[in-house]
Amino acid sequence: MPSATEQRIIDAAVRLFASQGYDATSVQEIVNAAGITKGALYHYFRSKDDLLFEIYRLLITAQSADMDRIIGLGLSAGETVREILASLVSSTAERVDETAVFVRELHRLGEERMTDFRAERRRYHETFLAVIEKGQADGEFSSQVPADTVVRIALGVVNQLPMWFRPDGPKTPGQLAGEIADFVLAGLR
Amino acid sequence: MPSATEQRIIDAAVRLFASQGYDATSVQEIVNAAGITKGALYHYFRSKDDLLFEIYRLLITAQSADMDRIIGLGLSAGETVREILASLVSSTAERVDETAVFVRELHRLGEERMTDFRAERRRYHETFLAVIEKGQADGEFSSQVPADTVVRIALGVVNQLPMWFRPDGPKTPGQLAGEIADFVLAGLR
DNA sequence: GCCACCCTACCGACCGGTCGGTATGCTCAC
DNA sequence: GTGAGCATACCGACCGGTCGGTAGGGTGGC
């Protein structure tokens, strides 16, 4: 469990990285925004890169846990797809800054961490894929469009969400999640 | 029309920006990759930012021209949507690096250029939106999912394309374009 | 024919400033 | 007293951009 100071560093970093980008944000700006000093930051994080990676880790961990929980419910393919999308859209809408940083700065991951990340994403991807393929095999979904393309489309929208979603916009995360799920499921009939 | 040297600068910059990010790429790296010197680069571009903006400009100009051309064909809503997606997916697949830079470094645009860009994107967005709304009004498309959400989904996939599309992958840009168009149109029935 | 003049294209050493990171030491809870 | 939790001062590397200069080709006056 992170200390209060650690949490403030992460919060400040996420906000700044999201609005300016990782490289354009100096460590000094982060510590100023967090109301601490460099000494404190380097007490908790080994490097600026480590701080970025910690943001990734928190996001990925939460998403994977959500996915596993939903799969565990044992719903039908259609209901599972709806639940996954609803949960993903909602959690992404609530953490737009984290997601924006994540999507934009992914390429900064070093070789080793990139490998780890790809493995985790692949697992996530294939879990989702399996749900759709099962739905297709059972005749619940149409097989007109390959399952992997459907997954790409569905996850693509979510990753792009930070580009246009605004918390003060006309639609609540819940509404949006419903509309997106409706559309994806309509495409699978 | 850009000179050969200018073109080499742009090509090198696109490649480096795509693989490392804008800030992480130094001007020196660009000129080394292009086989020229800093003097030459600053002879053609006023700043590193200008170079980035030129990359955006080329991409946006081409996309808008494609869209206008397709609208001008006077096809049905369904055929228009298919044509727009096919052309967008294909051109994006052919210029993954440009698109990756574009999506990732958008936030670096200054105030004025950002305003210009938003106006152009809005125009693009609303042209696409109008096609879908017309299809819905004519009864060619279902109105179950709001047209703006459909547009968001469709354009979202395209922007995410650089994240996973590989030219040496199993699917050609044409196949992919077809599958994506199929799925979007299936969701609109 | 030729030379003075100029212009575009380009070179590369250099500068002011910024940045990530470190070294050192204080302080206070246990 | 001792280690976790910080603050402060500072370092060296690097970066975007500048600037004085050059190479070479075109052009017009004679």
Side-chain angles (χ1 to χ4, degrees):
Chain A
M1 188 177 139
S3 75
T5 303
E6 206 172 341
Q7 192 60 53
R8 285 173 61 196
I9 296 173
I10 291 180
D11 289 347
V14 166
R15 206 165 349 106
L16 288 167
F17 289 167
S19 72
Q20 312 177 352
Y22 174 83
D23 283 302
T25 303
S26 69
V27 172
Q28 194 60 50
E29 282 181 280
I30 299 173
V31 301
N32 288 349
I36 53 149
T37 61
K38 273 218 247 185
L41 191 147
Y42 279 94
H43 176 72
Y44 287 105
F45 299 95
R46 301 208 353 251
S47 68
K48 191 187 174 189
D49 256 32
D50 268 40
L51 176 52
L52 179 62
F53 184 69
E54 181 63 15
I55 295 171
Y56 291 167
R57 211 185 51 79
L58 291 171
L59 195 65
I60 297 175
T61 305
Q63 281 185 1
S64 284
D66 270 357
M67 168 80 93
D68 292 343
R69 181 182 55 77
I70 292 164
I71 298 287
L73 296 178
L75 305 169
S76 73
E79 284 167 334
T80 304
V81 168
R82 179 175 295 279
E83 279 305 309
I84 290 174
L85 286 178
S87 135
L88 197 52
V89 171
S90 297
S91 74
T92 302
E94 276 159 24
R95 323 217 289 192
V96 269
D97 279 355
E98 278 92 336
T99 308
V101 173
F102 180 72
V103 171
R104 196 192 293 149
E105 315 284 355
L106 232 184
H107 62 109
R108 299 205 105 277
L109 248 51
E111 199 52 51
E112 193 187 345
R113 282 171 170 172
M114 185 59 101
T115 306
D116 288 358
F117 163 75
R118 272 200 248 265
E120 181 61 27
R121 186 173 63 176
R122 189 184 187 80
R123 204 186 67 84
Y124 190 91
H125 195 102
E126 286 184 350
T127 306
F128 197 2
L129 188 71
V131 173
I132 290 176
E133 280 175 341
K134 180 156 188 310
Q136 288 178 331
D138 293 352
E140 188 181 345
F141 294 154
S142 152
S143 295
Q144 196 205 346
V145 177
D148 65 327
T149 298
V150 177
V151 172
R152 250 76 190 251
I153 294 173
L155 298 183
V157 201
V158 177
N159 280 342
Q160 281 293 304
L161 228 141
M163 294 268 285
W164 51 270
F165 175 77
R166 294 293 167 267
D168 54 351
K171 289 176 185 171
T172 66
Q175 277 180 318
L176 208 54
E179 291 180 10
I180 291 175
D182 282 348
F183 186 80
V184 171
L185 287 170
L188 280 168
R189 296 300 171 208
Chain B
M1 189 178 139
S3 75
T5 302
E6 207 173 340
Q7 192 61 52
R8 284 172 61 196
I9 296 173
I10 291 180
D11 288 347
V14 165
R15 205 163 353 103
L16 288 167
F17 289 167
S19 74
Q20 311 177 353
Y22 174 82
D23 283 301
T25 303
S26 71
V27 172
Q28 195 59 52
E29 281 181 280
I30 299 172
V31 302
N32 288 349
I36 53 150
T37 60
K38 270 217 236 188
L41 191 147
Y42 280 94
H43 176 73
Y44 288 105
F45 299 94
R46 302 214 343 258
S47 67
K48 192 185 173 190
D49 256 32
D50 269 39
L51 176 54
L52 178 62
F53 185 68
E54 181 61 16
I55 296 171
Y56 291 168
R57 212 184 50 78
L58 291 171
L59 195 65
I60 298 176
T61 304
Q63 280 185 3
S64 284
D66 269 357
M67 168 80 93
D68 291 344
R69 181 181 56 76
I70 292 164
I71 298 288
L73 296 177
L75 304 170
S76 73
E79 284 167 335
T80 304
V81 168
R82 180 175 294 278
E83 279 305 309
I84 290 174
L85 286 178
S87 135
L88 198 52
V89 170
S90 297
S91 74
T92 302
E94 275 160 25
R95 325 219 285 193
V96 269
D97 279 355
E98 278 92 336
T99 307
V101 173
F102 180 73
V103 170
R104 197 192 293 147
E105 315 284 356
L106 232 184
H107 62 108
R108 299 206 102 277
L109 249 51
E111 200 53 51
E112 193 186 345
R113 282 170 170 174
M114 185 58 101
T115 307
D116 287 358
F117 163 76
R118 270 199 252 266
E120 181 61 26
R121 186 174 61 177
R122 190 184 186 80
R123 204 184 68 85
Y124 190 91
H125 194 102
E126 286 183 351
T127 306
F128 197 3
L129 189 70
V131 173
I132 291 176
E133 279 175 342
K134 181 156 186 313
Q136 288 178 330
D138 293 353
E140 188 181 344
F141 294 154
S142 149
S143 296
Q144 195 205 347
V145 178
D148 65 327
T149 298
V150 177
V151 172
R152 250 75 189 251
I153 294 173
L155 298 183
V157 200
V158 177
N159 280 341
Q160 282 294 306
L161 230 143
M163 295 269 283
W164 51 269
F165 175 77
R166 294 291 167 268
D168 54 350
K171 289 177 185 173
T172 66
Q175 278 180 318
L176 208 54
E179 290 179 10
I180 292 175
D182 281 348
F183 186 79
V184 172
L185 288 171
L188 281 168
R189 297 302 171 206

